[in-house]
Amino acid sequence: MATSQRERVNVEGHELTLTNLGKILYPETGTTKAEVLEYYAAVAPFLIPAAANRPATRKRWVNGVGTATHPGQMFFQKNLDQSTPSWVPRVTIQHSDHSNDYPLVNNLATLTWLAQIASLEIHVPQWQVDADGTMLPPDRLVLDLDPGPGTGLPECVEVAKLARSILQDMGLDPVPVTSGSKGIHLYAGLDGTQKWEQVSAFAHELARSLEADHRDLVVSDMKKTLRKGKVLVDWSQNSGNKTTIVPYSLRGRAHPMVAAPRTWRELASPKLEHLDFTAVMKRVKEGKDPFATVEAGGRSAHPPAPGDKATGKTVNPRLATYLDKRDPRRTPEPFPAPARQPGSRPPQDDAEPNPPGGIFVIQEHHARRFHLDFRLEHDGVLASWALPRGVPETPDKNHLAVQTEDHPMEYAEFAGVIPKGEYGAGTVSIWDSGEFECEKWRDGKEVIATLTGKPGGGLHGTRRFALIHTGESPSQWLIHLMKDKPGLTVLKSPTAESNGTPSRESNGTPSYAAMLATSGTTADVSSGDWLFELKWDGFRAIVSGSGGKIRLTSRSGIDMTPTYPELADPRYWPAHDFVADGEIVALSKNGHPSFELLQKRMNLFKPGDVERARAAVPVQLMVFDLLYDAGAQGGADLTSLPLSERRKRLTDFRAGLPSKGSPIHISEILEHDLDDILASASELGLEGVMAKRADSKYQAGRRSRSWIKLKLERMQEVVVGGWRPGSGARLGTVGALLVGIPDGDKLRYAGRVGSGFKDWQLRDILKRLQGIDRTDSPFLDIPAEDARGAQWVSPELVGEVTFGEWTSGGRMRHPVWRGWRPDKSPEDIDALTDGRHAK
């Protein structure tokens, strides 16, 4: 780790600025922030599995821990603050009178960020959350052996052995952790079938039992007056509201000690002592993790073989290969419960012999070579295929699928780090999961299944796949995306006709294309009568009502009604026919439009997916124009009227409609000085301001200088023409996008975009680029250094970036990815006003 004071790094695709690297956080040993960062990077493969999916509470020493005689100031932090990077995984936990947003230490980037802000201690509960943020039953038990006055580690070891004997009689084999403070934490893995109240009550009774049998050594009461010469068995940390320092975390003491997992052989040594960070770094280099058995659910070192006579229980024989390749002492991967029998569902009187479907999981596996693992429930196991090129995005191109060993059903929830040297070593995360319907399953020959993933998952809804054996080696298959993808409806001719009149849909309601604005500066609106409103950072929508039915249409003609049903509720619209123009936005917790949040509502059509996403990300519609109003006097088509008149009609149009609880709002005309409006927009974190001539007609389907976009940030819509493969943490995915701006019939190269990506966006980008590859560059003028090693794609997809400034060579300086613009095509990008003159 470099010791310069400031360094910009890329960790797992996330950009972080590390500051004050030479700052001393532990004065008595001279340990710097750089060394703390180096330590957490070294132990990440062991700490992350112990902390993953557990809401993390942090203890921060921003000015260092101080000394034994003069401790530094500590900040105890539960809730995330506004400066938290958006890519940090998090969960909202509702407490009795408030809620907190907690980080989930699920990846190295998050762990690095915590170290950067001097969160030296990380504390987590004994339970995890599921993919929806719901608290799960505890999966481990902990006893905190705290020595009282006159006792120390030797007495804690004696109590640990006594507790171990009791736990082993119950089938649990605990792992000791020297706390790095005074005592020992004793952990035992649980099967997750009991509530925390039950686990806490058991731990309390265990502590009382130890006290009853060894009154001269053990106390279970928290009173300090009772603890002299004894070891407190603190059982209270099994409460659903309590946390314990996570194994491998540093301690905020005078010396950089660590909560270090140990072996029982080590505990038997008379030289046992707490370990500091340098000693733990040496241990993890050997790849040994005593805590792995706890993460594996407390199972014994060797799970019983199929038909184990000692237990009288069986493990599905299809898992023999899985068991042969793994050692539960060395990997956190799940091992099958001995009682599991073939068939994962309880029998039902009317059950079919082979249920048509089940659960699926697709896992992202950063092993020696990046790939996706595609797993479908079948006969009580997860039938598995490795996809070196991911899932196919188009029916025109099949991908290789290599069948691997069956995995236990428990693997459907696995995410973690498989240690170096073990089978499949690398990081595993869930790319998407859900349920599937099975049309056909011919073992060893063919599988046809329709998969429905989760909101925000890699599948983006429902996809139908066929897995086909090639007839060559048993492991060689192909995966094919079936053509019939449900839910997508494209409207015909949603544009104005050449004579200026709108086209008509079959129901008789006019169909208008959106009028488009031009980028400009305040100089462009310095004279004349202009109306100003905020520029909403969202998706454009033309809303039409006919016969009491509401439909939302995107700029490109896609029917978005199934995706945003809350905006198509007839209660919030007039009963007569109309056409209005507006912007769909998603608001963050601070009430500001968030384009990132809105992307999580994209491309969802299945009702279940939409409802789940709707609960997590509600949307609003900001209406700013009225094009057609069958209830208006003097004619229904309003596009030839001046904007000032259309706005008056819009106010009348919305009068009398319910406003309470309505997601439909009128975008307000701001009657203030333009400089004040721009300043307010900046304070609100908005994209900019729209300036519209008061006398402008609605020019359907045309870009006009009667509407001017005044952007506060340099922002540019771009066309993706290629990509460069990633390396390091991005190995197997996208390192950078090569983007351009249309210039006539050519694509002018505008730069390389390598930052701003979220993990899920990287997966989404790679998925979208597959199937549109080409052999030559689509760019007119790309430099050789940027073209080297590039993969070219047809220039079809539009995205949006922010950037610092334009270089003299016409390139964007420091472009940052914002997201896709599925509502726009390359022809929609204004090549003449590409952001160079934005304010």
Side-chain angles (χ1 to χ4, degrees):
M1 176 71 69
T3 57
S4 59
Q5 288 296 303
R6 186 180 184 90
E7 186 175 335
R8 187 73 175 170
V9 297
N10 185 300
V11 183
E12 297 179 332
H14 301 298
E15 296 288 336
L16 291 91
T17 299
L18 306 180
T19 60
N20 300 320
L21 293 175
K23 183 176 183 178
I24 295 177
L25 296 181
Y26 292 87
E28 290 196 3
T29 58
T31 305
T32 65
K33 181 190 280 191
E35 291 174 297
V36 167
L37 286 159
E38 183 181 10
Y39 168 76
Y40 274 125
V43 302
F46 304 92
L47 186 151
I48 291 171
N53 299 321
R54 302 177 194 271
T57 300
R58 292 85 64 208
K59 288 186 177 181
R60 298 176 60 190
W61 284 265
V62 294
N63 294 314
V65 301
T67 64
T69 55
H70 295 87
Q73 186 177 8
M74 183 271 289
F75 298 91
F76 192 80
Q77 190 167 14
K78 293 185 176 182
N79 204 21
L80 289 172
D81 52 38
Q82 293 185 351
S83 64
T84 303
S86 59
W87 46 259
V88 170
R90 65 198 69 194
V91 64
T92 301
I93 302 296
Q94 182 64 49
H95 299 287
S96 58
D97 58 350
H98 69 285
S99 63
N100 285 333
D101 290 333
Y102 293 85
L104 301 175
V105 189
N106 289 5
N107 51 52
L108 176 58
T110 299
L111 187 57
T112 304
W113 170 71
L114 289 172
Q116 156 60 26
I117 61 173
S119 295
L120 300 179
E121 289 193 8
I122 301 170
H123 294 245
V124 298
Q126 313 316 318
W127 47 268
Q128 295 180 306
V129 294
D130 63 14
D132 298 320
T134 303
M135 175 183 175
L136 298 174
D139 59 351
R140 60 196 190 201
L141 173 147
V142 65
L143 297 176
D144 181 4
L145 311 182
D146 188 4
T151 61
L153 272 182
E155 288 77 15
C156 289
V157 169
E158 189 175 348
V159 176
K161 291 177 179 178
L162 294 172
R164 182 193 189 194
S165 179
I166 297 174
L167 291 170
Q168 283 182 320
D169 288 343
M170 306 183 69
L172 301 174
D173 194 7
V175 171
V177 175
T178 48
S179 69
S181 177
K182 293 187 295 182
I184 292 175
H185 296 157
L186 204 59
Y187 286 91
L190 303 175
D191 61 10
T193 59
Q194 294 181 306
K195 298 179 180 179
W196 71 259
E197 292 89 348
Q198 296 171 295
V199 175
S200 184
F202 166 77
H204 194 182
E205 187 59 36
L206 175 58
R208 286 174 174 169
S209 176
L210 287 168
E211 180 182 31
D213 292 342
H214 308 278
R215 292 191 178 276
D216 59 335
L217 179 62
V218 177
V219 63
S220 64
D221 196 304
M222 303 289 181
K223 294 179 182 177
K224 291 185 178 181
T225 57
L226 302 176
R227 295 173 56 183
K228 185 176 181 180
K230 298 181 181 181
V231 174
L232 170 67
V233 179
D234 184 356
W235 51 270
S236 66
Q237 293 175 41
N238 296 285
S239 166
N241 302 317
K242 294 291 187 69
T243 61
T244 309
I245 191 164
V246 71
Y248 296 103
S249 172
L250 284 166
R251 301 303 300 245
R253 299 176 63 83
H255 286 240
M257 310 306 288
V258 174
R262 312 297 287 268
T263 65
W264 286 102
R265 176 176 293 181
E266 286 181 289
L267 254 65
S269 171
K271 296 181 180 179
L272 178 71
E273 59 183 1
H274 293 282
L275 299 179
D276 69 4
F277 80 110
T278 57
V280 174
M281 287 180 71
K282 292 178 181 178
R283 292 164 65 91
V284 300
K285 286 181 179 178
E286 300 173 1
K288 296 180 180 179
D289 181 14
F291 201 73
T293 56
V294 176
E295 288 307 306
R299 290 173 286 276
S300 59
H302 296 283
D308 191 331
K309 295 180 181 180
T311 62
K313 300 177 181 179
T314 62
V315 171
N316 194 319
R318 295 182 59 160
L319 297 175
T321 302
Y322 177 91
L323 297 176
D324 287 343
K325 291 183 175 183
R326 293 164 176 84
D327 184 344
R329 295 170 298 184
R330 301 181 62 89
T331 175
E333 295 170 280
F335 280 75
R340 182 178 292 280
Q341 302 291 335
S344 62
R345 290 180 174 79
Q348 300 175 1
D349 294 339
D350 58 348
E352 297 182 24
N354 194 1
I359 66 170
F360 82 87
V361 64
I362 303 175
Q363 285 157 319
E364 187 174 295
H365 196 165
H366 291 266
R368 184 169 57 89
R369 292 185 178 178
F370 171 83
H371 61 276
L372 294 182
D373 289 317
F374 187 93
R375 311 191 196 281
L376 304 176
E377 178 182 355
H378 184 58
D379 286 347
V381 298
L382 292 173
S384 301
W385 291 262
L387 310 181
R389 295 199 60 196
V391 296
E393 177 65 18
T394 170
D396 301 327
K397 193 170 184 179
N398 299 328
H399 285 183
L400 174 66
V402 180
Q403 189 165 26
T404 61
E405 73 275 13
D406 294 326
H407 283 51
M409 292 294 295
E410 292 88 346
Y411 217 96
E413 298 180 356
F414 174 65
V417 181
I418 303 173
K420 185 178 180 181
E422 297 304 301
Y423 176 75
T427 303
V428 178
S429 60
I430 294 178
W431 189 76
D432 206 343
S433 63
E435 297 185 352
F436 73 93
E437 296 179 4
C438 186
E439 299 176 37
K440 184 183 294 187
W441 195 299
R442 299 166 62 206
D443 280 325
K445 296 181 180 179
E446 180 184 17
V447 177
I448 299 178
T450 300
L451 281 62
T452 299
K454 295 184 181 298
L459 290 180
H460 299 288
T462 300
R463 297 289 185 270
R464 185 167 172 251
F465 294 101
L467 287 155
I468 307 159
H469 186 236
T470 63
E472 300 176 7
S473 71
S475 64
Q476 298 299 299
W477 294 60
L478 293 175
I479 183 169
H480 170 73
L481 177 65
M482 308 291 275
K483 288 187 177 180
D484 51 335
K485 295 193 288 187
L488 186 65
T489 304
V490 179
L491 304 179
K492 296 181 180 179
S493 304
T495 58
E497 296 177 351
S498 58
N499 61 4
T501 60
S503 60
R504 296 266 170 179
E505 298 296 333
S506 58
N507 58 16
T509 303
S511 174
Y512 298 85
M515 179 176 174
L516 306 178
T518 302
S519 296
T521 69
T522 53
D524 296 313
V525 298
S526 58
S527 61
D529 187 7
W530 294 85
L531 303 180
F532 301 107
E533 59 186 287
L534 297 176
K535 187 179 189 305
W536 301 103
D537 196 5
F539 286 158
R540 192 78 171 272
I542 299 294
V543 187
S544 61
S546 179
K549 293 185 178 181
I550 311 301
R551 181 168 60 186
L552 287 81
T553 309
S554 74
R555 279 184 46 181
S556 55
I558 295 176
D559 184 0
M560 299 189 295
T561 315
T563 305
Y564 306 103
E566 62 265 54
L567 305 182
D569 190 329
R571 292 178 300 169
Y572 303 127
W573 297 99
H576 59 261
D577 293 359
F578 68 88
V579 180
D581 194 355
E583 189 95 354
I584 300 172
V585 298
L587 303 181
S588 64
K589 290 183 178 181
N590 58 14
H592 299 168
S594 170
F595 190 69
E596 178 186 339
L597 273 180
L598 187 59
Q599 297 242 327
K600 296 181 180 180
R601 290 290 301 266
M602 285 171 43
N603 300 328
L604 300 178
F605 297 95
K606 194 175 180 63
D609 293 340
V610 171
E611 284 304 309
R612 286 188 290 271
R614 177 177 171 180
V617 184
V619 295
Q620 316 282 323
L621 180 69
M622 310 305 297
V623 183
F624 49 72
D625 216 326
L626 186 62
L627 318 183
Y628 182 89
D629 184 6
Q633 296 181 352
D637 181 35
L638 310 180
T639 55
S640 61
L641 297 178
L643 174 62
S644 55
E645 178 62 26
R646 297 200 307 275
R647 292 291 308 208
K648 291 178 182 178
R649 304 253 184 146
L650 178 60
T651 300
D652 295 339
F653 170 81
R654 296 292 304 163
L657 295 173
S659 58
K660 185 176 182 180
S662 172
I664 314 300
H665 313 279
I666 292 180
S667 180
E668 182 182 357
I669 296 295
L670 304 174
E671 298 181 356
H672 301 282
D673 181 80
L674 179 56
D675 288 339
D676 292 338
I677 296 173
L678 288 168
S680 297
S682 179
E683 290 176 4
L684 293 172
L686 299 181
E687 186 180 352
V689 172
M690 290 296 303
K692 302 177 181 179
R693 290 189 65 92
D695 60 355
S696 62
K697 298 179 181 180
Y698 193 94
Q699 303 176 53
R702 299 180 184 177
R703 190 176 298 279
S704 170
R705 293 196 64 81
S706 294
W707 287 11
I708 299 292
K709 295 181 287 187
L710 303 174
K711 295 185 178 181
L712 293 168
E713 186 178 29
R714 290 179 182 262
M715 197 173 299
Q716 179 62 53
E717 292 159 1
V718 293
V719 177
V720 177
W723 59 284
R724 289 165 59 99
S727 59
R730 286 199 195 173
L731 186 64
T733 183
V734 176
L737 293 175
L738 306 176
V739 302
I741 298 171
D743 188 1
D745 59 351
K746 303 183 185 303
L747 188 64
R748 176 166 57 83
Y749 183 63
R752 185 169 66 186
V753 186
S755 63
F757 302 113
K758 311 295 185 294
D759 285 341
W760 67 269
Q761 286 178 317
L762 284 170
R763 298 191 296 265
D764 174 73
I765 288 168
L766 189 60
K767 180 182 175 202
R768 287 171 183 260
L769 297 180
Q770 290 173 350
I772 62 170
D773 48 305
R774 55 185 279 174
T775 58
D776 59 330
S777 169
F779 295 107
L780 173 67
D781 53 352
I782 186 169
E785 60 269 21
D786 285 0
R788 189 176 299 113
Q791 306 287 317
W792 307 116
V793 297
S794 297
E796 305 171 6
L797 301 176
V798 175
E800 190 169 89
V801 299
T802 58
F803 64 103
E805 60 183 354
W806 290 100
T807 68
S808 58
R811 311 280 191 261
M812 293 180 291
R813 192 183 302 279
H814 307 307
V816 177
W817 183 254
R818 294 193 76 233
W820 293 111
R821 295 301 313 221
D823 54 333
K824 297 188 178 183
S825 65
E827 293 76 21
D828 294 325
I829 297 178
D830 185 359
L832 297 179
T833 55
D834 54 16
R836 264 176 267 212
H837 307 295
K839 180 179 175 66

